[in-house]
Amino acid sequence: MEQLFSKALSVSVRCRDSEERKSTIRVTIDLQLSPSAVHKRNLHVRLTDDKDPYFLFTLSISEEDFQSLKAQQGLLIDFGSFPQKFIELLELCHSEQEAESPRFLLQLCSQGPTPEGPSSLSVVETNAFKHLNHLSLRLSPGSDREVKDYLASCLARLKEEREALELRLKRTEEDLSRQLSCTQQ
Amino acid sequence: MEQLFSKALSVSVRCRDSEERKSTIRVTIDLQLSPSAVHKRNLHVRLTDDKDPYFLFTLSISEEDFQSLKAQQGLLIDFGSFPQKFIELLELCHSEQEAESPRFLLQLCSQGPTPEGPSSLSVVETNAFKHLNHLSLRLSPGSDREVKDYLASCLARLKEEREALELRLKRTEEDLSRQLSCTQQ
């Protein structure tokens, strides 16, 4: 599993019957290569919220899935170029997210009253004339099992971070105490 | 929710058809008081493994549940004294867990081939004559949802710890740098 992208982005969240609101959502893109089969690649897209451990939406795109996505949305690129193009679009949204009226915007739209059912993540360009939908991906909310696995991975990473910090603190204390005692002598 | 006990204890794990093995399992006991009803108290027992995020067994004992547990196991105490007595037994096991042949031992027994189904946690005293079962509690493995909630709480705690460490590191660096520059002057 190779991580291609992971960034907390400003997303405009829209649910049925409720006002649009801004939310900060982490978009992560991983590429999974199967070592056995050359053409077995899967792109994993994951939406998470650094502040809400239960927030998880996922989408897995195989090469076959991509063919129907390509046809459906009139894409002109192949599976190999897709991740880079998708990342470019996300970077465009990121670069404009502080702007008052950003040209590129990430939208998460849910059919239901809250973003708990399947939701669409879209990259939308707004020009003087209209909203242009560059890409729209349908993500599913994580099951209890998927959220559990995601949280276990967060926990493992956080434990490593804590250990690294503890080590750094210990070394800093030792280093500076040593320097201090040298200077005092 | 008041935490009464939380300690990593050495437990002898026995599954059907497999050898007994030693494992370090954290036993946590929480008392939940309902502010509305005076007699609505629940004792929550939780087994977790600090090294395995997916390991979770739980048992909730209400005052009513305790009455049947009391009858079933011939206990002579009431619900109010039970937590303290249970903790004393756990402390006895803890104090002897390094001994070659401990007199008090915690056992986790599963009916299945792996400890994934309902399991019994027992405090067993071994004397020259026999094994004496002081207490036996039947715990259920956590569902995906329960494990998810448990992991989310671990994550929240770990994040706080990380923030505290980051702050301590920053302060240590600042403090010692200041002292160092004072000494050098």
Side-chain angles (χ1 to χ4, degrees):
Chain A
M1 191 85 99
E2 185 195 356
Q3 188 165 96
L4 305 178
F5 183 86
S6 182
K7 219 170 236 182
L9 302 171
S10 176
V11 176
S12 164
V13 180
R14 301 173 74 173
C15 301
R16 199 191 59 199
D17 309 331
S18 64
E19 289 266 314
E20 191 169 323
R21 61 180 175 81
K22 282 275 168 198
S23 193
T24 301
I25 293 174
R26 180 170 294 277
V27 182
T28 303
I29 306 173
D30 291 313
L31 186 65
Q32 190 179 29
L33 295 163
S34 166
S36 56
V38 181
H39 291 291
K40 210 76 189 130
R41 291 180 297 180
N42 269 289
L43 198 69
H44 295 282
V45 181
R46 197 172 67 191
L47 305 187
T48 54
D49 181 340
D50 291 349
K51 285 186 184 141
D52 176 2
Y54 297 109
F55 185 94
L56 177 68
F57 282 86
T58 59
L59 170 67
S60 177
I61 309 171
S62 68
E63 299 207 33
E64 292 91 299
D65 297 336
F66 181 75
Q67 293 317 313
S68 55
L69 184 77
K70 185 175 169 171
Q72 201 185 71
Q73 305 203 11
L75 306 180
L76 302 172
I77 50 171
D78 60 14
F79 184 81
S81 317
F82 177 67
Q84 197 46 46
K85 189 65 202 162
F86 182 25
I87 291 168
E88 280 170 26
L89 288 170
L90 294 174
E91 290 287 9
L92 271 171
C93 296
H94 182 244
S95 68
E96 301 213 1
Q97 67 187 20
E98 303 299 330
E100 204 172 319
S101 45
R103 199 159 67 91
F104 282 87
L105 191 74
L106 263 180
Q107 271 182 350
L108 184 67
C109 299
S110 167
Q111 303 297 311
T114 56
E116 279 170 3
S119 298
S120 294
L121 181 76
S122 307
V123 178
V124 179
E125 179 184 355
T126 304
N127 61 23
F129 177 60
K130 69 168 285 185
H131 297 298
L132 285 166
N133 197 333
H134 283 260
L135 184 68
S136 208
L137 298 175
R138 194 150 180 79
L139 289 102
S140 305
S143 66
D144 283 342
R145 172 178 281 267
E146 285 165 336
V147 174
K148 187 181 82 170
D149 289 341
Y150 158 65
L151 289 177
S153 71
C154 291
L155 206 59
R157 209 196 51 231
L158 209 55
K159 277 188 181 173
E160 279 177 19
E161 283 179 28
R162 185 186 57 182
E163 275 165 33
L165 267 174
E166 280 168 346
L167 193 68
R168 229 181 102 193
L169 179 64
K170 194 166 158 273
R171 292 218 176 122
T172 303
E173 283 172 345
E174 286 170 0
D175 268 18
L176 292 177
S177 303
R178 203 180 311 117
Q179 285 182 48
L180 203 58
S181 74
C182 281
T183 318
Q184 283 169 333
Q185 272 166 12
Chain B
M1 191 84 98
E2 185 194 355
Q3 189 163 97
L4 304 179
F5 182 86
S6 182
K7 219 170 237 182
L9 302 170
S10 177
V11 176
S12 165
V13 180
R14 301 172 74 173
C15 302
R16 200 191 59 200
D17 309 331
S18 63
E19 289 265 315
E20 193 172 322
R21 60 180 177 81
K22 282 276 167 195
S23 194
T24 301
I25 292 174
R26 179 170 294 277
V27 182
T28 303
I29 305 173
D30 292 314
L31 186 66
Q32 191 179 28
L33 296 161
S34 165
S36 56
V38 181
H39 291 292
K40 210 74 191 131
R41 293 180 297 180
N42 269 292
L43 197 69
H44 295 281
V45 181
R46 196 172 68 192
L47 306 187
T48 54
D49 182 339
D50 292 348
K51 286 189 183 136
D52 176 2
Y54 296 110
F55 185 94
L56 176 69
F57 282 86
T58 60
L59 170 68
S60 177
I61 308 171
S62 69
E63 300 207 32
E64 294 91 298
D65 296 336
F66 181 75
Q67 294 315 314
S68 55
L69 185 76
K70 186 175 168 171
Q72 200 186 73
Q73 305 203 11
L75 306 179
L76 302 172
I77 49 171
D78 60 12
F79 185 79
S81 318
F82 177 66
Q84 196 46 47
K85 189 64 201 160
F86 182 25
I87 290 169
E88 280 169 25
L89 287 171
L90 293 175
E91 291 287 9
L92 271 172
C93 296
H94 183 243
S95 67
E96 301 213 3
Q97 68 187 18
E98 302 299 330
E100 204 171 317
S101 46
R103 200 158 66 91
F104 282 88
L105 190 74
L106 263 180
Q107 270 181 351
L108 184 67
C109 298
S110 166
Q111 303 299 308
T114 57
E116 280 170 3
S119 297
S120 294
L121 181 75
S122 308
V123 179
V124 180
E125 181 185 354
T126 304
N127 61 21
F129 177 59
K130 68 168 285 187
H131 297 298
L132 286 165
N133 198 332
H134 284 259
L135 184 69
S136 209
L137 299 174
R138 194 151 179 78
L139 291 103
S140 305
S143 66
D144 284 341
R145 173 178 281 267
E146 286 165 335
V147 174
K148 187 182 82 170
D149 289 341
Y150 158 65
L151 290 177
S153 71
C154 291
L155 206 59
R157 209 196 52 232
L158 208 55
K159 276 188 181 174
E160 278 176 19
E161 283 178 28
R162 184 186 57 182
E163 275 166 33
L165 267 174
E166 278 168 347
L167 193 68
R168 231 180 102 193
L169 179 63
K170 194 166 157 273
R171 290 215 178 125
T172 305
E173 283 173 345
E174 285 169 2
D175 270 18
L176 292 177
S177 301
R178 203 180 310 115
Q179 286 182 47
L180 202 59
S181 75
C182 283
T183 319
Q184 282 171 334
Q185 272 167 11

